[in-house]
Amino acid sequence: MKKLVRHRLFWPIAALIALIVVNTIARPQFIGITIRDGELYGPLIDILRNSAPLMLVALGMTIVIATRGIDLSVGAIMAVSGAVALTIIDSSSDPGGMGTVAIALVTALLVALVLGAWNGLLVSVVGIQPIIATLVLMLAGRGVALLITDGFITTVTSAPYKFIATGYVLALPFALFIAAAAIAVVALVERRTALGVLTEAVGINPEASRLAGVRAKGIVFGAYVASGVLAGLAGILYSSNIMAADANASGLYIELYAILAVVLGGTSLMGGKFTIAGTVVGVFTIQTLESTILFLGVPSAQAPVFFAAVVIVVVLVQSPQLHRFMRRLTRRRRDDSNRTDAAPPAPSQIQTEVVSR
């Protein structure tokens, strides 16, 4: 039991289960799943589908944080990729054609890859601090998206493109399969090859890993490229869901939610050790919490306060320092109790026994 409690995923999973239990008690239909036209619907299915964009961004953020970096530009990359894809579809004579959609997707992902490579170049080659390097693109990226859309919200009508976010395959949302594929690829590359070990080595001590022969710059560069591509895919999902390229709203604050999901999952912001499974649990926790806020009818102006309060509680429950403090407190109380039980008789009791004899 102690080994189970000390596992890094125990408290993140416990927090997620607690949220699900609270929602189920408050509204039993929360865990209800219905079938309509061979497709699954319900609050849990909605959570799985709506978490796909955040899942993609959080996976990229996990890799970047593992290298002791940070990527604040993922929201802007989402805006740019969505703007590129919808602009290509809107300017085409056949917006509903599979060829047009395929060209739009490939172009959007290539642009996202270039933007991720730009971040990686600034961090790994030029040597700019990650928070500053990505902050540049965070501020400029939405301006680029506005330039692409001429400052307007571009809307299109394209059934193949809409299918990406709202379509169903095997009774489940297609977006869920995209997120699952991304999780599988990242987990396979980072946990079944030497790249994961090298990534952790770079995050723990970049200089020592460089002296040991690890190509630290290449690994850091690749981490930002992966983050850019995943953010670009998330931008495609977001724009496909609303069928519009909104440069101001696309990916707004998602970098903060992604960082929060990574931390809730147990990955340290100091770099080094990371957990893909923990990030997945963290994303589901955040999405479930958002569903809870909507159900409770918390006003939009007060929602961030409620969200922050719950997150603080979850973080405190997962805190290793708090766990150590509680163990020391419990051990101290146990020792005090043992001392009391084994305490020698008082002098007055000894004198009384001698007189009685």
Side-chain angles (χ1 to χ4, degrees):
M1 185 63 183
K2 289 182 178 180
K3 292 182 178 179
L4 180 63
V5 173
R6 291 177 182 177
H7 195 277
R8 66 166 68 183
L9 292 180
F10 175 81
W11 291 108
I13 294 176
L16 177 59
I17 293 175
L19 277 175
I20 295 176
V21 170
V22 169
N23 277 275
T24 304
I25 294 174
R27 44 169 179 165
Q29 66 273 21
F30 178 78
I31 58 174
I33 297 177
T34 60
I35 301 177
R36 294 199 303 267
D37 299 328
E39 300 173 351
L40 299 179
Y41 293 90
L44 291 178
I45 301 299
D46 292 338
I47 289 174
L48 293 176
R49 180 180 57 247
N50 296 332
S51 65
L54 179 59
M55 184 71 71
L56 296 172
V57 174
L59 288 172
M61 190 70 72
T62 301
I63 301 173
V64 170
I65 289 178
T67 63
R68 199 180 290 188
I70 202 78
D71 191 352
L72 300 180
S73 66
V74 288
I77 295 177
M78 282 182 61
V80 172
S81 66
V84 169
L86 265 71
T87 300
I88 292 175
I89 294 175
D90 184 55
S91 61
S92 173
S93 59
D94 184 19
M98 292 296 296
T100 301
V101 174
I103 293 173
L105 295 179
V106 172
T107 305
L109 291 177
L110 286 176
V111 171
L113 185 148
V114 171
L115 294 177
W118 168 257
N119 285 333
L121 180 69
L122 292 181
V123 175
S124 63
V125 178
V126 181
I128 300 177
Q129 292 182 355
I131 192 171
I132 301 300
T134 57
L135 185 62
V136 173
L137 186 55
M138 174 186 176
L139 298 175
R142 296 193 183 275
V144 173
L146 287 171
L147 287 175
I148 295 173
T149 59
D150 292 328
F152 298 100
I153 298 177
T154 302
T155 58
V156 299
T157 301
S158 176
Y161 193 78
K162 186 175 180 62
F163 179 85
I164 297 174
T166 61
Y168 274 74
V169 174
L170 300 177
L172 292 172
F174 182 65
L176 177 60
F177 287 96
I178 295 177
I183 294 171
V185 170
V186 172
L188 180 65
V189 172
E190 294 292 340
R191 290 308 183 196
R192 297 301 179 183
T193 68
L195 183 60
V197 177
L198 298 178
T199 300
E200 290 183 343
V202 171
I204 294 172
N205 194 324
E207 186 61 24
S209 60
R210 185 186 66 82
L211 294 176
V214 178
R215 296 182 178 180
K217 291 184 179 181
I219 292 176
V220 172
F221 180 83
Y224 284 94
V225 170
S227 178
V229 172
L230 289 170
L233 185 56
I236 291 172
L237 276 176
Y238 180 86
S239 61
S240 171
N241 188 41
I242 63 176
M243 291 305 291
D246 189 349
N248 293 318
S250 179
L252 187 63
Y253 301 134
I254 197 170
E255 59 273 354
L256 304 181
Y257 289 110
I259 295 171
L260 182 59
V262 173
V263 174
L264 287 178
T267 298
S268 173
L269 288 175
M270 299 302 294
K273 296 290 183 179
F274 65 97
T275 165
I276 301 299
T279 296
V280 174
V281 174
V283 169
F284 287 146
T285 301
I286 291 177
Q287 199 62 47
T288 305
L289 183 55
E290 287 189 352
S291 176
T292 305
I293 292 174
L294 292 175
F295 167 73
L296 295 176
V298 178
S300 58
Q302 301 175 9
V305 178
F306 179 85
F307 191 89
V310 176
V311 167
I312 289 173
V313 173
V314 173
V315 171
L316 287 176
V317 169
Q318 296 180 210
S319 172
Q321 288 79 5
L322 180 62
H323 297 166
R324 285 194 291 267
F325 173 77
M326 295 302 297
R327 285 197 296 268
R328 286 198 298 266
L329 184 62
T330 303
R331 191 181 302 113
R332 187 178 303 169
R333 288 182 177 178
R334 190 185 303 115
D335 294 342
D336 292 342
S337 177
N338 294 335
R339 291 194 194 97
T340 302
D341 295 340
S348 59
Q349 295 177 350
I350 298 176
Q351 292 176 2
T352 302
E353 293 178 359
V354 172
V355 171
S356 64
R357 290 178 181 176

